[in-house]
Amino acid sequence: MKRALLLSLALTATASVSSSLAASTITIATVNNPDMVTMQKLTPEFNKKYPDITVKWVTLPENELRQKITLDVASGAGSFDVATVGAYEVPIWAKNGWLDPLTPMFAKNADIAKSYNVNDILAGVRGALTVNGNLYAVPFYAESSMTFYNKDLFKAAGLTMPTQPTWTQVQQFAAKIHNPSKGVYGICLRGLPGWGENMAVFGTVVNTFGGRWFDQNWQAQLNTPAWKNAMTFYVDTIKKYGPPGATGNGFTENLTLMSQGKCGMWVDATVAAGFLSDPSSSKITKSVGFANAPVGPGTARGNHWYWSWNLAIPKSTKQEDAAFKFITWATSQEYIALVAKEKGTWASVPPGTRTSTYNNANYKAAAGAFSSLVLGSINSADVNKATKDPVPYTGVQYVAIPEFQALGTQVGQYLAGAISGQTTVDQALKQAQDAAQKTAKDGGYQK
């Protein structure tokens, strides 16, 4: 009896040590937007499925997140086991050898692969995350851009929003709605500097005004009439019809303004459609309207940007298995259903990633006002044909070269300077042209 008790205690101790050794802790770096905040809140649901994995979060503003993750992943420091990365970074980082390929992991984990169903991810989204036949990230949500407007304010002003507005029409609408004395601004547009902030929206304006970053010989094109017309238009529109302090407003700040009924219009990411339709976070759920992103006087090309936020595993991780379990859980059909339950509406689930979401009757019923418009915008965004004239790069609202992260942010700062009145448009464009030309020359792109 005594020997049996000792043996039992020994086995229990061994099991305890084994369990302790098997436990894993993963650190996830993510952006502080509403979808990622929801993911953080649902961590206990992940722990129910994988109780041996502890999750730590590092949540940062978009610009700061990019800097920290890029530095960490490039140096192999290993601070993060899961990184939130954009469609821009994935192919560049994959080619640099900074990310673990996921295709072999799916092959090793047949049960996860079967329930996850990689082929359910929209083909275009999946393709943007695939390099040389290997998937390097999975999409948490994918987006394009669209126009949101307040139907009550439009009705009061006697205006009708077309399904496909032009930028000229948008500016005219903004002028008629603008009423700052009552806390209503004609339009909210991103002014916060950053290649993924003000330059995301402004980049599409440049496209539709007929502009491009570089010609086919990698000569910078920011001193052209197309760029001057686009920047003059953008700066004037924000100054005349936007809220004060616009250079401090990015996606999150404008989402708050729009959801509180303070913006007549807002041109931004399609992902906001779900937030503006959610009664728990929006006061305009019954008055929000949706239209395509505006086209300009130069071309209809490039008015819809393409973007996705994705979860990837840095090569430097020592917790590959645990990280893989997390990213497949957080981008699964199961997770999407959890978000619908948590939010109380299917309209708030992460959009743009899975065919099954758009075929789901519950989603169709909840998101019917915008789901087809969002899907159409994502499908029509063409990273290979986003400009009127031919270019040597891909990308709608960015140039898919490693140097663009710095260049785009630099030009975004010059744009913000023009918006705030610190510089003129001409001065901003001269600075931007010089920076772009130097980038192409120093990067060895010019022959």
Side-chain angles (χ1 to χ4, degrees):
M1 185 74 178
K2 189 174 181 182
R3 285 184 64 188
L5 179 59
L6 289 171
L7 180 60
S8 175
L9 289 170
L11 289 171
T12 301
T14 301
S16 176
V17 170
S18 298
S19 175
S20 175
L21 290 172
S24 303
T25 298
I26 57 173
T27 301
I28 300 168
T30 193
V31 67
N32 65 341
N33 67 28
D35 266 326
M36 301 309 188
V37 172
T38 298
M39 187 201 295
Q40 208 168 338
K41 286 181 181 177
L42 289 172
T43 304
E45 296 296 327
F46 172 75
N47 290 135
K48 287 179 184 177
K49 188 169 185 176
Y50 299 108
D52 59 331
I53 301 175
T54 300
V55 179
K56 292 185 177 179
W57 293 88
V58 176
T59 307
L60 299 165
E62 186 171 325
N63 287 345
E64 189 179 345
L65 175 83
R66 283 198 169 100
Q67 292 171 359
K68 282 190 178 293
I69 292 182
T70 302
L71 181 62
D72 188 83
V73 173
S75 65
S79 303
F80 308 120
D81 303 294
V82 173
T84 305
V85 294
Y88 159 79
E89 289 98 344
V90 172
I92 295 172
W93 290 12
K95 290 172 184 174
N96 287 346
W98 296 350
L99 301 177
D100 272 344
L102 303 182
T103 302
M105 296 185 209
F106 279 108
K108 279 195 309 182
N109 295 272
D111 289 346
I112 290 177
K114 184 178 179 181
S115 61
Y116 187 82
N117 188 8
V118 169
N119 290 330
D120 185 45
I121 299 173
L122 293 172
V125 176
R126 193 168 71 246
L129 306 176
T130 300
V131 178
N132 296 328
N134 272 312
L135 189 68
Y136 278 89
V138 283
F140 184 70
Y141 69 74
E143 67 182 27
S144 185
S145 51
M146 66 193 297
T147 303
F148 307 98
Y149 65 100
N150 189 310
K151 292 189 287 187
D152 289 345
L153 294 176
F154 264 64
K155 185 177 180 180
L159 302 172
T160 302
M161 173 68 78
T163 304
Q164 180 54 77
T166 66
W167 277 113
T168 300
Q169 287 175 316
V170 164
Q171 190 183 63
Q172 291 169 348
F173 295 156
K176 292 183 178 180
I177 292 171
H178 193 57
N179 193 350
S181 64
K182 292 190 176 180
V184 173
Y185 308 102
I187 189 167
C188 292
L189 293 169
R190 297 189 196 185
L192 184 68
W195 76 269
E197 282 287 359
N198 60 358
M199 291 307 295
V201 180
F202 180 63
T204 64
V205 178
V206 170
N207 292 340
T208 64
F209 273 68
R212 54 183 173 170
W213 283 84
F214 300 98
D215 67 15
Q216 288 189 294
N217 296 315
W218 286 98
Q219 296 297 316
Q221 299 294 299
L222 285 71
N223 58 356
T224 58
W227 267 82
K228 181 170 182 177
N229 292 339
M231 189 175 285
T232 300
F233 175 87
Y234 197 78
V235 169
D236 284 352
T237 301
I238 290 179
K239 278 185 171 181
K240 292 177 180 177
Y241 312 118
T247 55
N249 293 343
F251 171 83
T252 304
E253 294 78 13
N254 283 331
L255 171 62
T256 300
L257 288 167
M258 186 73 193
S259 64
Q260 291 177 347
K262 296 182 180 296
C263 305
M265 290 171 291
W266 178 35
V267 179
D268 214 296
T270 54
V271 70
F275 303 141
L276 295 173
S277 302
D278 183 355
S280 69
S281 59
S282 173
K283 296 179 180 178
I284 63 166
T285 54
K286 293 182 180 179
S287 60
V288 61
F290 311 96
N292 285 312
V295 295
T299 180
R301 284 185 180 179
N303 68 317
H304 288 133
W305 78 51
Y306 170 76
W307 186 253
S308 60
W309 277 120
N310 315 281
L311 300 180
I313 302 176
K315 183 73 78 174
S316 52
T317 183
K318 292 179 174 61
Q319 302 290 346
E320 182 184 274
D321 182 63
F324 181 70
K325 287 174 180 175
F326 182 85
I327 69 172
T328 49
W329 170 82
T331 59
S332 64
Q333 294 181 54
E334 169 195 2
Y335 176 84
I336 289 171
L338 277 173
V339 174
K341 184 179 178 182
E342 165 76 12
K343 291 288 189 177
T345 172
W346 272 85
S348 296
V349 304
T353 61
R354 288 182 169 271
T355 301
S356 57
T357 300
Y358 290 90
N359 290 337
N360 186 297
N362 292 320
Y363 184 74
K364 286 181 179 179
F370 61 79
S371 63
S372 61
L373 199 65
V374 170
L375 189 59
S377 298
I378 293 171
N379 287 336
S380 68
D382 190 343
V383 298
N384 296 303
K385 293 181 180 178
T387 55
K388 178 183 177 183
D389 297 316
V391 293
Y393 56 84
T394 61
V396 180
Q397 77 282 20
Y398 56 82
V399 178
I401 57 173
E403 296 86 354
F404 185 76
Q405 193 163 327
L407 173 62
T409 296
Q410 197 173 1
V411 176
Q413 289 166 345
Y414 300 145
L415 172 61
I419 293 170
S420 66
Q422 293 178 337
T423 62
T424 65
V425 167
D426 285 339
Q427 289 170 331
L429 286 173
K430 184 184 184 308
Q431 292 173 309
Q433 169 71 11
D434 292 345
Q437 191 71 358
K438 185 175 187 302
T439 296
K441 185 177 180 180
D442 291 352
Y445 296 97
Q446 295 176 352
K447 296 179 180 179

